[in-house]
Amino acid sequence: MPQIPEKIHELTVGQLSARSGAAVSALHFYESKGLISSRRTAGNQRRYTRDTLRRVAFVRAAQRVGIPLATIRQALAELPEERTPTREDWARLSQAWRSELDERIAQLNRLRDHLTDCIGCGCLSLESCVLSNPDDAFGERGAGSRLMVERRR
C-alpha cells in the first residue's frame, strides 16, 4: 500500500483509491451521494483531505454488513464537518444498526426455511406456496390469480 508523506494534506482521487482500496468510480459515486467531499483545484481536479480515508473505510465497513448508503449518509451527517469517524462513533452507530441487521437475518432465516419446504414439496403453487404467496394474502379473496384480474379493472 503506497504511503503518503505526512506533509501532504490533500490526496488526489488516484491516491485516495490506492490507499483505501476503493475504485475511483466508487469514490466518485460516494461523492455524488454525499458520503465524502472534495474541493476542486483551479484545473478542476478533485482534492480530498486525509480524513477522507477514514470516512471511506467507514462507508465500506458499513456496506459490507449490508447497511444502505442512505443510512450511512445519515450517520455521517451527524458527525461534525471535517471530523473522521472515531471508534466511539462506530460503536454508537453499529449498535443502532444492530436491530435492523437482526431483523434482516431473521427474514433470511425464514426465507431459507421456506425454500427448504418448497424443495421438499416442489409445488411452487401460486395458490398455496409460501414463497409465491406469503401468508396466503391473496387466498383470502378467492382462488386463482387475483392480481391479473384486479389490474384489468
Side-chain angles (χ1 to χ4, degrees):
M1 183 176 300
Q3 294 297 316
I4 301 168
E6 201 60 37
K7 64 184 175 189
I8 297 177
H9 298 288
E10 291 186 317
L11 308 172
T12 65
V13 70
Q15 289 170 323
L16 183 59
S17 174
R19 290 280 300 172
S20 68
V24 169
S25 59
L27 296 172
H28 290 171
F29 179 74
Y30 291 164
E31 189 170 356
S32 75
K33 296 299 180 186
L35 299 166
I36 61 174
S37 61
S38 67
R39 73 168 186 87
R40 297 293 184 134
T41 66
N44 203 30
Q45 295 176 335
R46 290 176 169 94
R47 292 293 184 265
Y48 299 91
T49 57
R50 291 176 69 96
D51 66 299
T52 307
L53 276 169
R54 180 160 301 167
R55 291 178 80 88
V56 171
F58 182 93
V59 169
R60 294 186 73 192
Q63 279 187 295
R64 274 193 294 279
V65 297
I67 304 301
L69 288 179
T71 304
I72 298 168
R73 183 179 53 248
Q74 289 171 342
L76 288 171
E78 293 175 12
L79 300 176
E81 276 300 310
E82 304 302 320
R83 184 169 76 73
T84 59
T86 64
R87 183 180 306 238
E88 292 78 22
D89 294 327
W90 179 256
R92 178 177 46 81
L93 293 167
S94 63
Q95 182 62 38
W97 296 335
R98 187 176 189 84
S99 63
E100 181 183 332
L101 290 173
D102 287 342
E103 177 53 35
R104 274 199 251 152
I105 290 167
Q107 186 177 24
L108 285 171
N109 284 331
R110 285 190 301 272
L111 179 61
R112 180 202 57 217
D113 294 344
H114 290 309
L115 184 60
T116 302
D117 293 343
C118 277
I119 290 170
C121 83
C123 75
L124 292 179
S125 164
L126 293 178
E127 294 176 7
S128 61
C129 179
V130 295
L131 288 179
S132 298
N133 186 11
D135 302 320
D136 196 19
F138 298 106
E140 299 288 323
R141 298 191 307 220
S145 175
R146 308 309 306 145
L147 294 178
M148 296 291 283
V149 172
E150 290 173 6
R151 283 189 187 141
R152 288 185 189 152
R153 289 182 189 167

